[in-house]
Amino acid sequence: MTTYGRAAEESAFVRTYAVTRGRTKPRHLLALETVLEAGQGRPGPAQAEECGEILALCRERRRSVVELAGRLGRPVTAVKVLVSDLLDAGALVVPLTQSYADTGAGSGPSIQLLAAVSASLKRKWPDAVAYPQAG
């Protein structure tokens, strides 16, 4: 690899690290196909500029996590972290459409339904413990 190529690769890594503030795990359960739409909330003032781009794309129409990552040219994991921030702020929501709500008799809940429930619960109780500790 040339020095220029290595420097460009390292620069992209550092930029992604800075965008997510070093975080590598999103707070919400998000699949690649999780669909998002703009919500009523607003992102905080310290949010990365990519958050504004995500919101603009989701205002145009519903977008999946993987589509957002492709449009932004960012790793999916980084986009999931940013989307989680926007879900916490209420700026994005996971819409629950009939096709996701009606999974049929005997089948379990869809990933989309679980993502919507998880996002709502974390927004309502952000400091709650995910699993109680056995005493």
Side-chain angles (χ1 to χ4, degrees):
M1 179 180 277
T2 66
T3 302
Y4 175 75
R6 183 169 295 135
E9 185 179 305
E10 288 174 4
S11 173
F13 175 77
V14 169
R15 171 73 178 130
T16 299
Y17 182 84
V19 164
T20 62
R21 289 183 238 134
R23 297 169 295 154
T24 58
K25 295 191 182 211
R27 287 177 37 99
H28 298 279
L29 173 67
L30 297 166
L32 293 176
E33 67 276 4
T34 299
V35 175
L36 303 153
E37 69 181 25
Q40 299 298 316
R42 295 181 173 246
Q47 295 291 338
E49 72 179 53
E50 283 83 354
C51 288
E53 294 175 38
I54 290 170
L55 283 174
L57 289 167
C58 289
R59 283 186 187 115
E60 290 175 2
R61 66 178 179 82
R62 292 177 175 175
R63 308 272 181 168
S64 68
V65 170
V66 73
E67 182 181 359
L68 291 170
R71 293 277 191 151
L72 295 175
R74 294 273 170 220
V76 172
T77 303
V79 171
K80 284 182 177 184
V81 170
L82 297 175
V83 165
S84 285
D85 292 345
L86 292 169
L87 285 168
D88 287 341
L92 285 180
V93 295
V94 179
L96 192 59
T97 62
Q98 184 59 32
S99 62
Y100 297 125
D102 183 16
T103 57
S107 66
S110 69
I111 296 234
Q112 193 74 26
L113 175 61
L114 293 174
V117 170
S118 174
S120 296
L121 290 173
K122 285 183 181 178
R123 196 168 38 253
K124 182 149 178 95
W125 294 291
D127 299 324
V129 177
Y131 300 100
Q133 299 296 320

